[in-house]
Amino acid sequence: MPDQPAPGRRPYLRAGQGREQIAARLRTEYEAGASLVTFAHRHDLARSTAQRLLWEARALMRCRPSLRPARPADLDALVDRWLSTPAPGTAKAR
């Protein structure tokens, strides 16, 4: 029966006002400090669905610390280390 949603599907998340209301509520919770994983679990959503809803609601997304841009000092240290490391297969100069 094509008119009925598959079991476990949420027709209110497909499109329209219901989706917008859910996205707005998630944005409010997220911007108040709730983690993406926490409220995805609380609302029985996949993490990717919760993230997509936040993007649609134009929430300012927080980054994990490992994904934040490196500082110039960090980049300088990486370049110095790279330049001082011998290429594979070559002997280190003394």
Side-chain angles (χ1 to χ4, degrees), residues 26 29-30 32-42 50 54 62:
L26 292 179
E29 290 180 34
Y30 184 74
S35 74
L36 182 67
V37 174
T38 300
F39 72 73
H41 181 70
R42 184 181 318 145
L54 286 171
R62 296 186 298 261

Side-chain angles (χ1 to χ4, degrees), residues 16-71:
Q17 191 174 12
R19 185 179 181 93
E20 292 171 6
Q21 289 173 348
I22 297 288
R25 184 171 42 173
L26 292 179
R27 177 182 175 176
T28 302
E29 290 180 34
Y30 184 74
E31 289 178 348
S35 74
L36 182 67
V37 174
T38 300
F39 72 73
H41 181 70
R42 184 181 318 145
H43 294 285
D44 193 30
L45 298 170
R47 183 188 166 281
S48 59
T49 301
Q51 189 173 34
R52 192 173 313 111
L53 288 168
L54 286 171
W55 286 337
E56 290 174 12
R58 299 182 187 269
L60 181 61
M61 301 298 289
R62 296 186 298 261
C63 295
R64 292 186 300 189
S66 62
L67 298 179
R68 290 195 178 130
R71 299 177 308 196

Side-chain angles (χ1 to χ4, degrees), residues 4-23:
Q4 294 180 343
R9 293 288 197 151
R10 296 172 184 85
Y12 58 88
L13 286 179
R14 292 266 184 208
Q17 191 174 12
R19 185 179 181 93
E20 292 171 6
Q21 289 173 348
I22 297 288

